[in-house]
């Protein structure tokens, strides 16, 4: 899932006076404090805007729908960017008008964020003691510690991409955005205050300079370090600066006529709608594609609170109500979804279950807001409440550290006396299916990976295909580490990307159409004499036999081009074993009281007759293509399954061979595979 969070903090009420004024429909008193250099004062009526609550409602709706039903709203993850722009607008205005001191601001942030955060963290940890294995509960403790210290984004950056498959099994992954938000709150007010005191740097130059540096760095990350670009606060700062720019441009915004404002509001809504419908997590995010939703939000904020759209839609009671609970709604929905995936598997969530998760998230968010957030934020003495919340954060952080340090602490699950290691099955389920290895040099072209392993570029082999081809990278890396790799290996691979131009791709995989061009680029640049291709051939050629003749002809035409009149050797890796019983997620059945495994089935394995029959048609098709084009095939089934009558999903030490029903784990592929070795070591 690169399943990409949301900024969690609802709107900042600019001052306590302004907050009370907004609730009682009175104007706040005129302030006489000096303003930031060259910055005109915004009108008092702009201090509190109901329509911004509506923008939060749109953002949280997009994010929740994306997480629960990703195909329904493929770009819903950009709701996070909506919140970043809003925060940049509100916080910059607040400090530039000198409405609050730094200490008071941070105290209010604690009272705003800590109550719901502590509630969700403790609830998530409590549930984890019933359904998680010791190693999983230890990881949850680490994530809890990262959450209360607001470093979740940096912890997540070291583990996996936000859109990775295993991200859906992390109940607290979503706190990454809260980390970025709080890091922005820590840095940006200090920069503004430094500029105010030195009087040498106007707010406009500060915003423009920060935007330029951040956006440039974000673009660099897109091409060379995409995970860092997603999780680092520096690469996200430019989104906050778009909101800050609205404060700098306040005079120009106020001068707009009503017709212009109306046009901006509808253009912003249309652009935001297009973003959540069209964007995908494949490439170019956050820079430059996050510019689409962020500029859309700028237009909606610039249009002001008096347009028809703002008053009748964004500021309507239902939208405001949803916007006001957006923070606890975000906090609750992801752990509920993650535990559903942990209990029932990543692919077993039904539509009805999704609706239940959304409904339960809304109910919990409303209850949290009513009985925890509001009382602790507004209705209790400020100093004792602040001290209590800080103590709660400290205690929760200590609990997280304890769980992290002692994996068995509080866990109610065990191995149940079997020789099959249940924890190793849990670890296998979290293995990535597109493994980047230590000795690999990687370049990303969109979402296609160009990678190199080897001592030199003098005698390279091209490996090309999808994740079922890229799964052999750990084996090649191991040969290189042992000094046995005779050829540099160049990968041209992409998730669900066929090595032959025969597949009709869904919208989210349209980037795969560049595979042939990238293959040709490598073949033109380097003296390739061997090509190895592999894929999930059942998907490539389709399960419909009616399309096989046409696709077979296209495949053969491309293979002849790759062979270049016999100058290059081509090897097709035949279908590798695949079965639902290989999937670690199906080996374990969880409940709130126990974890069970069917040890007898795991020991008996899957009959080889079933394995051979399942891939027979596609094996015959590939062998026919190989015969017609005079290329070779490679069957690794026996090396994966063994020579007995059954294919065993577990290795001799009781740990799984597979990460899911068809992808092999790196810990398995690193071992000896004679079929591949003959290609790589001679």
């Amino acid at each position: 899932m690169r399943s990409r969070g949301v900024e969690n903090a609802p709107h900042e009420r600019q001052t306590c006076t302004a907050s009370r004024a907004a609730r009682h429909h009175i104007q706040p008193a005129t302030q006489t404090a000096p303003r930031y250099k060259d910055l005109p004062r915004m009108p008092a009526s702009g201090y509190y805007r109901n329509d911004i609550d509506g923008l939060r409602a749109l953002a949280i709706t997009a994010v929740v729908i994306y997480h629960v039903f990703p195909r329904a709203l493929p770009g819903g993850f950009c709701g996070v960017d909506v919140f970043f722009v809003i925060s940049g607008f509100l916080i910059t205005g607040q400090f530039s008008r000198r409405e609050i001191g730094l200490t008071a601001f941070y105290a209010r942030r604690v009272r705003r964020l800590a109550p719901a955060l502590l509630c969700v963290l403790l609830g998530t940890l409590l549930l984890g003691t019933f359904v998680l294995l010791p190693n999983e509960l230890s990881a949850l403790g680490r994530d809890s510690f990262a959450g209360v210290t607001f470093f979740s984004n940096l912890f997540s950056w070291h583990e996996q991409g936000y859109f990775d498959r295993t991200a859906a099994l992390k109940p607290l992954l979503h706190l990454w955005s809260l980390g970025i938000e709080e890091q922005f709150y820590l840095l940006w007010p200090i920069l503004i205050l430094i500029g105010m005191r030195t009087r040498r740097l106007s707010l406009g130059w500060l915003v423009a300079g920060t935007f330029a540096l951040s956006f440039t760095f974000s673009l660099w990350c897109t091409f060379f370090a995409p995970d860092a670009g997603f999780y680092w606060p520096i690469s996200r700062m430019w989104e906050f600066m778009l909101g800050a720019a609205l404060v700098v441009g306040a005079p120009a915004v106020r001068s707009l006529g009503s017709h212009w404002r109306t046009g901006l509001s509808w253009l912003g809504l249309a652009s935001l709608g297009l973003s959540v419908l069209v964007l995908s997590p494949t490439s170019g995010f956050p820079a430059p594609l996050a510019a689409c939703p962020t500029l859309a939000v700028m237009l909606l904020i610039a249009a002001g609170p008096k347009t028809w759209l703002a008053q009748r839609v964004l500021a309507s009671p239902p939208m405001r109500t949803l916007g006001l609970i957006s923070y606890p709604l975000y906090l609750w929905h992801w752990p509920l979804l993650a535990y559903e995936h942990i209990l029932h598997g990543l692919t077993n969530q039904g539509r009805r279950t999704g609706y239940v998760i959304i409904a339960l998230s809304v109910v919990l968010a409303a209850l949290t807001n009513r009985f925890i957030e509001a009382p602790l934020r507004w209705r209790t003495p400020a100093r004792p409440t602040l001290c209590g919340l800080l103590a709660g954060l400290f205690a929760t952080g200590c609990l997280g550290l304890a769980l992290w340090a002692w994996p068995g602490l509080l866990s109610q699950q065990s191995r149940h006396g079997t020789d099959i290691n249940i924890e190793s099955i849990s670890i296998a389920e979290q293995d990535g299916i597109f493994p980047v290895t230590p000795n690999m040099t990687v370049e990303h072209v969109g979402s296609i990976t160009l990678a190199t392993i080897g001592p030199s570029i003098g005698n390279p082999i091209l490996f090309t295909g999808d994740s079922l081809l890229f799964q052999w990278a750990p084996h090649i890396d191991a040969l290189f580490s042992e000094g046995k790799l005779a050829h540099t290996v160049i990968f041209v691979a992409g998730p669900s990307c066929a090595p032959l131009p025969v597949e009709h791709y869904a919208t989210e995989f349209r980037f795969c159409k560049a595979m042939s061009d990238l293959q040709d680029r490598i073949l033109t640049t380097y003296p390739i004499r061997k090509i190895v291709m592999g894929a999930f051939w059942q998907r490539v050629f389709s399960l419909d036999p009616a399309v096989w003749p046409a696709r077979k002809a296209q495949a053969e035409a491309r293979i002849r081009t790759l062979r270049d009149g016999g100058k290059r050797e081509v090897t097709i890796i035949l279908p590798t074993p695949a079965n639902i019983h290989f999937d670690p997620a199906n080996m374990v059945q969880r409940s709130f009281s126990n974890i069970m495994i069917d040890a007898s089935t795991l020991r008996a394995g899957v009959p080889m007759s079933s394995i051979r029959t399942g891939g027979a048609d596609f094996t015959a098709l590939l062998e026919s293509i190989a015969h017609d084009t005079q290329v070779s095939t490679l069957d690794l089934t026996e090396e994966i399954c063994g020579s007995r009558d059954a294919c065993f999903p577990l290795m001799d030490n009781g740990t799984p061979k597979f990460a899911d029903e068809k992808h092999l784990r790196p810990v398995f592929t690193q071992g000896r595979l004679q079929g591949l070795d003959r290609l790589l070591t001679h």
Side-chain angles (χ1 to χ4, degrees):
M1 281 189 44
R2 199 170 290 167
S3 32
R4 213 137 247 231
V6 62
E7 183 278 340
N8 300 320
H11 69 273
E12 290 295 329
R13 299 175 188 260
Q14 281 75 2
T15 64
C16 294
T17 302
S19 301
R20 291 191 294 270
R23 290 197 296 271
H24 296 288
H25 305 286
I26 61 176
Q27 295 293 331
T30 302
Q31 299 186 20
T32 58
R35 301 295 186 267
Y36 194 96
K37 180 182 177 182
D38 299 331
L39 180 68
R41 177 175 176 270
M42 293 185 69
S45 59
Y47 284 2
Y48 181 84
R49 289 178 51 173
N50 294 337
D51 59 309
I52 289 182
D53 288 331
L55 288 177
R56 290 194 183 89
L58 292 177
I60 190 62
T61 299
V63 171
V64 170
I65 292 176
Y66 170 74
H67 284 158
V68 180
F69 302 116
R71 292 183 181 275
L73 210 62
F77 60 86
C78 69
V80 64
D81 308 282
V82 174
F83 283 99
F84 287 165
V85 176
I86 292 173
S87 294
F89 170 69
L90 294 176
I91 300 308
T92 303
Q94 192 174 30
F95 274 92
S96 65
R97 292 189 295 270
R98 295 189 177 184
E99 293 175 354
I100 190 172
L102 202 59
T103 302
F105 171 74
Y106 291 134
R108 285 171 54 186
R109 292 307 301 165
V110 172
R111 294 187 70 189
R112 174 66 190 95
L113 296 177
L117 178 61
L118 287 172
C119 181
V120 172
L121 285 178
L122 293 175
T124 303
L125 287 170
L126 178 62
L127 188 57
T129 63
F130 291 96
V131 303
L132 298 181
L133 294 164
N135 64 303
E136 296 170 333
L137 191 58
S138 175
L140 185 64
R142 176 199 59 213
D143 294 342
S144 298
F145 171 75
V148 298
T149 55
F150 302 111
F151 286 122
S152 291
N153 56 317
L154 301 181
F155 276 69
S156 296
W157 166 55
H158 282 289
E159 292 181 3
Q160 74 280 306
Y162 178 76
F163 299 101
D164 288 352
R165 181 182 71 108
T166 56
L169 301 173
K170 309 273 296 177
L172 296 177
L173 174 71
H174 63 323
L175 297 185
W176 73 270
S177 58
L178 192 60
I180 288 181
E181 187 76 15
E182 291 310 297
Q183 289 153 26
F184 165 74
Y185 288 144
L186 179 66
L187 176 63
W188 184 240
I190 294 175
L191 292 178
I192 293 179
L193 293 178
I194 291 175
M196 293 171 69
R197 292 189 177 182
T198 60
R199 298 182 178 275
R200 294 181 180 179
L201 183 66
S202 70
L203 182 61
W205 282 109
L206 182 61
V207 170
T210 304
F211 173 88
L213 290 174
S214 173
F215 190 76
T216 301
F217 178 73
S218 189
L219 279 176
W220 180 88
C221 287
T222 295
F223 293 100
F224 301 105
D227 286 342
F230 190 86
Y231 286 119
W232 280 19
I234 299 175
S235 63
R236 291 283 189 165
M237 188 72 79
W238 66 270
E239 301 179 49
F240 294 93
M241 293 302 99
L242 292 177
L246 290 170
V247 179
V248 176
V253 170
R254 289 201 307 270
S255 67
L256 294 174
S258 60
H259 293 296
W260 276 100
R261 292 177 181 272
T262 299
L264 289 179
S265 67
W266 286 107
L267 179 59
L269 183 64
S271 300
L272 185 59
L274 188 65
S275 297
V276 299
L277 289 172
V278 173
L279 290 182
S280 65
T282 53
S283 61
F285 208 92
L289 293 184
C292 301
T294 52
L295 291 174
V297 178
M298 282 189 70
L299 295 177
L300 286 165
I301 296 175
K306 295 184 179 181
T307 63
W308 184 92
L309 182 63
Q311 293 181 330
R312 299 297 181 89
V313 179
L314 297 179
S316 64
M319 294 290 284
R320 288 199 61 212
T321 300
L322 184 58
L324 290 172
I325 66 169
S326 60
Y327 174 48
L329 176 55
Y330 178 68
L331 288 181
W332 277 115
H333 88 282
W334 182 261
L336 294 176
L337 186 62
Y339 277 123
E340 158 63 21
H341 291 153
I342 290 171
L343 287 169
H344 301 116
L346 288 169
T347 60
N348 295 326
Q349 177 196 308
R351 185 170 295 274
R352 181 177 299 177
T353 302
Y355 292 144
V356 171
I357 290 173
I358 292 174
L360 184 58
S361 300
V362 172
V363 170
L364 289 174
L367 293 174
T368 303
N369 177 263
R370 174 68 176 81
F371 296 106
I372 297 176
E373 276 193 298
L376 293 177
R377 186 182 184 190
W378 302 112
R379 302 174 190 171
T380 55
R383 183 168 296 178
T385 300
L386 177 63
C387 292
L389 291 173
L390 290 173
L393 291 172
F394 178 79
T396 304
C398 290
L399 175 60
L401 283 175
L403 292 172
W404 187 7
W406 294 284
L409 185 67
L410 300 183
S411 176
Q412 301 184 33
Q413 308 298 350
S414 68
R415 299 184 184 182
H416 302 278
T418 177
D419 60 335
I420 297 174
N421 190 329
I422 301 180
E423 288 189 29
S424 72
I425 295 175
S426 169
I427 294 171
E429 187 179 357
Q430 299 178 37
D431 267 357
I433 59 176
F434 208 81
V436 175
T437 63
N439 295 305
M440 182 182 290
T441 302
V442 179
E443 175 188 353
H444 295 283
V445 180
S447 289
I448 295 178
T449 298
L450 303 183
T452 303
I453 302 175
S456 67
I457 210 69
N459 191 19
I461 300 176
L462 174 62
F463 270 60
T464 182
D466 60 14
S467 54
L468 286 179
L469 180 282
F470 204 71
Q471 70 182 353
W472 305 115
H475 180 76
I476 297 169
D477 196 274
L479 290 177
F480 175 69
S481 298
E482 296 168 3
K484 298 177 180 178
L485 185 63
H487 307 271
T488 293
V489 175
I490 301 174
F491 289 93
V492 177
S496 296
C497 292
L500 300 168
V502 301
E503 187 175 356
H504 295 164
Y505 294 108
T507 302
E508 61 266 32
F509 295 109
R510 60 183 179 273
F511 61 86
C512 292
K513 294 179 180 179
M515 283 284 287
S516 293
D517 291 338
L518 292 174
Q519 292 168 355
D520 291 340
R521 189 179 100 181
I522 297 298
L523 295 174
T524 302
T525 306
Y526 303 108
I528 303 291
R529 291 294 174 262
K530 293 182 181 180
I531 300 174
V532 179
M533 59 179 62
F536 184 45
W537 297 113
Q538 292 90 326
R539 186 203 68 243
V540 173
F541 286 99
S542 172
L543 297 177
D544 180 10
V547 304
W548 291 355
R551 296 194 178 188
K552 180 177 183 290
Q554 291 174 313
E556 291 178 353
R558 177 60 180 170
I559 290 174
R560 291 188 178 97
T561 300
L562 295 174
R563 289 190 67 232
D564 192 19
K567 295 179 181 178
R568 303 188 187 101
E569 299 177 15
V570 176
T571 301
I572 300 173
I573 299 179
L574 295 178
T576 53
N579 191 277
I580 192 172
H581 295 292
F582 295 161
D583 189 349
N586 295 323
M587 296 177 182
V588 179
Q589 292 77 46
R590 301 182 188 234
S591 69
F592 290 109
S593 60
N594 201 2
I595 287 183
M596 299 170 291
I597 60 171
D598 186 354
S600 60
T601 300
L602 292 178
R603 294 191 185 99
V606 178
M608 284 300 300
S609 58
S610 174
I611 297 293
R612 294 291 187 185
T613 301
D617 291 341
F618 293 97
T619 297
L621 178 62
L622 290 168
E623 288 178 340
S624 175
I625 292 173
H627 177 271
D628 293 346
T629 56
Q630 297 180 319
V631 302
S632 60
T633 60
L634 176 61
D635 189 352
L636 297 172
T637 301
E638 186 171 320
E639 296 192 60
I640 295 170
C641 293
S643 57
R644 289 178 285 181
D645 294 334
C647 186
F648 296 93
L650 302 180
M651 293 183 278
D652 292 339
N653 60 2
T655 61
K657 298 177 182 178
F658 291 80
D660 59 18
E661 64 183 24
K662 56 182 177 290
H663 291 92
L664 292 164
R665 299 177 61 207
V667 69
F668 177 77
T669 61
Q670 286 169 353
R672 299 295 295 172
L673 293 166
Q674 296 296 329
L676 280 177
D677 291 352
R678 283 193 292 271
L679 293 171
L680 298 167
T681 60
H682 298 90

